[in-house]
Amino acid sequence: MAAIEQPRADLPVPPGRVVHLDDGSPVTIRPIEPADAYPLLRLFDRLSPESIYHRFFSPMPRPRRAALLHLAGLDHELHEALVAHADHEVVAVARYDARPGESDAEVAVIVDDAWQDRGLGTRLLHQLARVGARRGLVAFRATVLGENRRALPFLRRLSPEADVRFRSGEYQVYAPFRRRSVRSATRPE
């Protein structure tokens, strides 16, 4: 396993933004922070085997402490994640990982089974795209298991112009950000 990235202590924790889901439920979305490591473990414990398989492409044992700290301790530049909180728990995570000098990033989203089909993943993905656009990204890339057909419409809501190709049992998706998302990302908040 790669070395654990140490979070930057000089970064203030930004306040969360409350959004209302399709069913009216409020959730707070904010950047991930190191203190989210154990709430991530509780989220993992609530996920169905199917959700774990679709996100990680295989059955996965319970994450170890080092893996959780790695997931929660990001540089907030090339690697970013947003968490959604409800009822004092992390109920979803959207993450991107970019490479220096590239204008796109690999993206992944996971939503607690009890919170699926409410528009939470879509809202997280749109906010993450705005963050990425402010940092110079123009698109997200994703690999989706062939059997995970629910993920494709989800990515097309971010980018109707998404390029989707099926290879070796997986969908390779390139989803450029919509102009509106990029414009709203450059406006001061």
Side-chain angles (χ1 to χ4, degrees):
M1 170 180 256
I4 297 172
E5 293 180 37
Q6 296 299 314
R8 289 180 41 195
D10 61 329
L11 292 175
V13 176
R17 178 174 177 232
V18 176
V19 299
H20 290 84
L21 305 182
D22 295 348
D23 66 357
S25 300
V27 296
T28 301
I29 297 175
R30 65 166 174 74
I32 200 167
E33 59 186 69
D36 289 317
Y38 290 105
L40 286 176
L41 181 60
R42 290 193 303 271
L43 169 62
F44 185 88
D45 287 343
R46 292 189 309 271
L47 294 171
S48 67
E50 179 184 30
S51 290
I52 291 170
Y53 182 75
H54 283 163
R55 167 59 184 88
F56 299 102
F57 293 30
S58 68
M60 187 174 150
R62 195 170 199 236
R64 295 184 180 187
R65 181 178 183 272
L68 292 167
L69 292 172
H70 174 74
L71 290 171
L74 302 177
D75 64 7
H76 296 285
E77 289 296 328
L78 291 174
H79 311 282
E80 183 61 89
L82 299 178
V83 292
H85 278 265
D87 304 323
H88 308 289
E89 290 290 346
V90 170
V91 296
V93 181
R95 175 188 178 102
Y96 75 68
D97 293 292
R99 293 184 209 133
E102 294 191 7
S103 62
D104 60 13
E106 184 76 21
V107 69
V109 179
I110 193 148
V111 177
D112 185 322
D113 292 44
W115 287 84
Q116 292 178 10
D117 300 316
R118 300 188 201 189
L120 176 54
T122 300
R123 284 170 178 79
L124 270 174
L125 193 59
H126 278 276
Q127 283 201 21
L128 192 63
R130 287 200 253 334
V131 170
R134 281 196 302 266
R135 295 186 182 141
L137 296 177
V138 298
F140 284 147
R141 290 176 280 106
T143 302
V144 178
L145 288 173
E147 64 197 54
N148 187 3
R149 293 184 177 257
R150 291 177 65 195
L152 297 178
F154 169 70
L155 287 164
R156 286 198 189 276
R157 283 192 289 278
L158 171 70
S159 177
E161 303 85 26
D163 179 31
V164 179
R165 297 171 191 234
F166 188 76
R167 283 187 217 143
S168 305
E170 298 174 343
Y171 292 99
Q172 302 297 318
V173 181
Y174 180 84
F177 302 153
R178 286 194 234 175
R179 292 185 204 274
R180 190 185 94 204
S181 295
V182 172
R183 260 188 270 124
S184 65
T186 57
R187 269 190 261 148
E189 292 182 2

